[in-house]
Amino acid sequence: MKAQEQNPPVKVAVIGLTHTHVHWILGREDRGDIEIVGIVEPNTDLAERYTKQHGFSMDIVYPTMDALMENVKPEAVTAFGTIYDHLSVVEFFAPKGIHIMVEKPLAVSLDHAKKMQALAKKHNIHLLTNYETTWYGSNLKAYEMVHQDNMIGDIRKIVVHDGHPGPKEIGVNEEFLEWLTDPKLNGAGALTDFGCYGANLSTWLMKGEKPQSVFAMTATNKPDLYPKVDDEATIILQYPKTQVIIQASWNWPVSRKDVEVYGVTGQIIADNGSTIRYQLGDNAQEQKLTDLKKESPNDDPFTLLAAVVRGQITPQDADLSALQNNMVVMEILDAAMQSAKSGKVVKLK
């Protein structure tokens, strides 16, 4: 009880419900670190469906951000609407000194991202981006094996696979599907939806370094399902001595989020959130590590958000959730879209 009194839960509002990752915050176990004090969602049917599912009262649901602020005073907000809407959330809450966590990617475009970054800096707020892969124990272990233990030497290649059989194929709800397949509201299709994971992880593994150039190819293999956006994207990042291949797809037969890191003397493959296989040269046997987990507060997006708001953690530039990492991600995605359209390599400044 004393701990609760010393550290009352951070008051958090949820802005938008059309991104189905919102079930992550609505359905999480009560760790005592955050309290959901309000929800903004103009779609009453959707709000009623989700509040009923998760046991929230419709009394805390408001149609607009203005209506929310008239009734409650959140310390932080989480954005679960369209990626296009992230800018308006930052424009509204940053001047009020309210910290923000958005779902990946940071923004719908590099232009939006730059405006968001300027607002966050001007009003001295934290602006975090949440990716599922940030909380994988396997990815953290891979990073430690590379950078702390120097087990595989300098990184020469990173390969990241992300995606699933397709949003329609896996049955995402209509409210999510409507904007996920809209190039204005999502930026692109698989390229942004899943390409952002690889850009985020490689920026982290490369300690915040920007690639020298970006080359991308996209395709729409299912124009009957996804007429407006790509459903297949391959993005190649070139660093001075490292190449990154990001394979983002709505065409995988099996859902996947895995990372391969190849060094001069060995390789590390994170097959899923908790398993790693590694081999240190041709003559060594492959080893396997299982049940890998991250420790609190780095094991959950909203626990981390609370720790950042309370000043217990200060994000470092290259961190997976950090604004600076995600500005690099947006430069990569922007260049990838340019490259896919032109068919040419895009050099980053």
Side-chain angles (χ1 to χ4, degrees), residues 41 52-53 79-80 90 92 109 151-152 214 221 244 289 306 324 337:
E41 179 50 63
K52 187 177 180 183
Q53 180 179 343
F80 286 99
V90 175
F92 186 85
S109 66
M151 287 178 69
I152 63 169
V214 179
N221 293 335
V244 176
L289 302 175
Q324 189 53 44
M337 285 186 244

Short mmCIF file of all heavy atoms in Angstrom, two decimals, residues 41 52-53 79-80 90 92 109 151-152 214 221 244 289 306 324 337:
data_model
loop_
_atom_site.label_atom_id
_atom_site.label_comp_id
_atom_site.label_asym_id
_atom_site.label_seq_id
_atom_site.Cartn_x
_atom_site.Cartn_y
_atom_site.Cartn_z
N GLU A 41 -13.10 8.52 -28.52
CA GLU A 41 -13.51 7.75 -29.69
C GLU A 41 -14.89 8.20 -30.14
O GLU A 41 -15.89 7.98 -29.45
CB GLU A 41 -13.53 6.25 -29.38
CG GLU A 41 -13.98 5.35 -30.53
CD GLU A 41 -13.25 5.66 -31.84
OE1 GLU A 41 -12.02 5.49 -31.89
OE2 GLU A 41 -13.91 6.09 -32.81
N LYS A 52 -17.29 -2.72 -23.29
CA LYS A 52 -17.99 -3.90 -22.77
C LYS A 52 -17.05 -5.09 -22.69
O LYS A 52 -17.02 -5.82 -21.69
CB LYS A 52 -19.19 -4.23 -23.68
CG LYS A 52 -20.09 -5.33 -23.14
CD LYS A 52 -21.30 -5.54 -24.05
CE LYS A 52 -22.19 -6.64 -23.51
NZ LYS A 52 -23.33 -6.92 -24.42
N GLN A 53 -16.25 -5.27 -23.74
CA GLN A 53 -15.31 -6.40 -23.78
C GLN A 53 -14.32 -6.34 -22.63
O GLN A 53 -13.96 -7.38 -22.05
CB GLN A 53 -14.56 -6.39 -25.12
CG GLN A 53 -13.56 -7.53 -25.28
CD GLN A 53 -12.86 -7.49 -26.64
OE1 GLN A 53 -13.31 -6.82 -27.57
NE2 GLN A 53 -11.75 -8.18 -26.75
N ALA A 79 -1.84 6.94 -28.39
CA ALA A 79 -2.61 7.12 -29.63
C ALA A 79 -2.86 5.78 -30.30
O ALA A 79 -1.90 5.08 -30.68
CB ALA A 79 -1.87 8.06 -30.58
N PHE A 80 -4.12 5.44 -30.46
CA PHE A 80 -4.51 4.19 -31.12
C PHE A 80 -5.52 4.44 -32.23
O PHE A 80 -6.47 3.69 -32.40
CB PHE A 80 -5.08 3.20 -30.10
CG PHE A 80 -4.04 2.58 -29.21
CD1 PHE A 80 -3.83 3.06 -27.92
CD2 PHE A 80 -3.27 1.52 -29.64
CE1 PHE A 80 -2.87 2.49 -27.09
CE2 PHE A 80 -2.31 0.94 -28.83
CZ PHE A 80 -2.11 1.43 -27.56
N VAL A 90 -0.40 14.97 -31.26
CA VAL A 90 0.76 15.70 -30.73
C VAL A 90 0.49 17.21 -30.73
O VAL A 90 0.82 17.91 -29.77
CB VAL A 90 2.04 15.37 -31.54
CG1 VAL A 90 3.22 16.21 -31.07
CG2 VAL A 90 2.37 13.88 -31.39
N PHE A 92 -2.26 18.67 -30.29
CA PHE A 92 -3.21 18.99 -29.22
C PHE A 92 -2.59 18.86 -27.83
O PHE A 92 -2.76 19.74 -26.97
CB PHE A 92 -4.44 18.08 -29.32
CG PHE A 92 -5.55 18.43 -28.35
CD1 PHE A 92 -6.49 19.39 -28.66
CD2 PHE A 92 -5.63 17.80 -27.11
CE1 PHE A 92 -7.50 19.73 -27.76
CE2 PHE A 92 -6.63 18.12 -26.20
CZ PHE A 92 -7.57 19.10 -26.54
N SER A 109 4.30 10.22 -42.45
CA SER A 109 5.28 10.74 -43.41
C SER A 109 6.41 11.41 -42.64
O SER A 109 6.26 11.76 -41.46
CB SER A 109 4.64 11.76 -44.35
OG SER A 109 4.25 12.92 -43.61
N MET A 151 30.33 -11.27 -29.31
CA MET A 151 30.39 -12.69 -29.65
C MET A 151 30.53 -12.98 -31.13
O MET A 151 31.00 -14.04 -31.52
CB MET A 151 29.15 -13.42 -29.09
CG MET A 151 29.20 -13.58 -27.58
SD MET A 151 27.72 -14.37 -26.92
CE MET A 151 27.89 -16.04 -27.57
N ILE A 152 30.11 -12.03 -31.98
CA ILE A 152 30.14 -12.32 -33.43
C ILE A 152 30.95 -11.30 -34.23
O ILE A 152 30.94 -11.32 -35.45
CB ILE A 152 28.71 -12.44 -34.01
CG1 ILE A 152 27.95 -11.11 -33.90
CG2 ILE A 152 27.93 -13.58 -33.34
CD1 ILE A 152 26.64 -11.08 -34.68
N VAL A 214 19.22 3.86 -49.34
CA VAL A 214 18.04 3.00 -49.21
C VAL A 214 17.57 2.63 -50.61
O VAL A 214 17.46 3.49 -51.49
CB VAL A 214 16.90 3.74 -48.46
CG1 VAL A 214 15.66 2.85 -48.36
CG2 VAL A 214 17.35 4.18 -47.07
N ASN A 221 0.50 -7.93 -54.83
CA ASN A 221 0.20 -9.27 -55.34
C ASN A 221 -1.29 -9.59 -55.31
O ASN A 221 -1.74 -10.51 -56.00
CB ASN A 221 0.96 -10.33 -54.53
CG ASN A 221 2.46 -10.23 -54.73
OD1 ASN A 221 2.92 -9.74 -55.75
ND2 ASN A 221 3.23 -10.68 -53.74
N VAL A 244 21.50 -4.16 -44.57
CA VAL A 244 20.27 -4.59 -43.89
C VAL A 244 19.21 -4.89 -44.94
O VAL A 244 18.99 -4.09 -45.85
CB VAL A 244 19.75 -3.51 -42.92
CG1 VAL A 244 18.42 -3.94 -42.30
CG2 VAL A 244 20.78 -3.22 -41.83
N LEU A 289 18.92 -20.73 -27.10
CA LEU A 289 18.48 -20.14 -25.84
C LEU A 289 16.97 -19.94 -25.90
O LEU A 289 16.45 -19.43 -26.90
CB LEU A 289 19.16 -18.79 -25.60
CG LEU A 289 20.69 -18.77 -25.57
CD1 LEU A 289 21.19 -17.33 -25.46
CD2 LEU A 289 21.22 -19.60 -24.42
N ALA A 306 5.02 4.82 -18.00
CA ALA A 306 4.87 5.32 -16.63
C ALA A 306 6.22 5.68 -16.02
O ALA A 306 6.38 6.72 -15.38
CB ALA A 306 4.15 4.28 -15.76
N GLN A 324 14.44 9.92 -31.34
CA GLN A 324 15.52 10.05 -32.31
C GLN A 324 15.64 8.80 -33.18
O GLN A 324 15.81 8.88 -34.39
CB GLN A 324 16.85 10.33 -31.60
CG GLN A 324 17.98 10.70 -32.55
CD GLN A 324 17.64 11.84 -33.50
OE1 GLN A 324 17.05 12.85 -33.10
NE2 GLN A 324 17.96 11.68 -34.77
N MET A 337 9.89 4.70 -49.83
CA MET A 337 8.76 5.03 -50.70
C MET A 337 9.22 5.74 -51.97
O MET A 337 8.74 5.45 -53.06
CB MET A 337 7.75 5.89 -49.93
CG MET A 337 6.92 5.10 -48.92
SD MET A 337 5.61 6.10 -48.17
CE MET A 337 6.12 6.13 -46.48
#
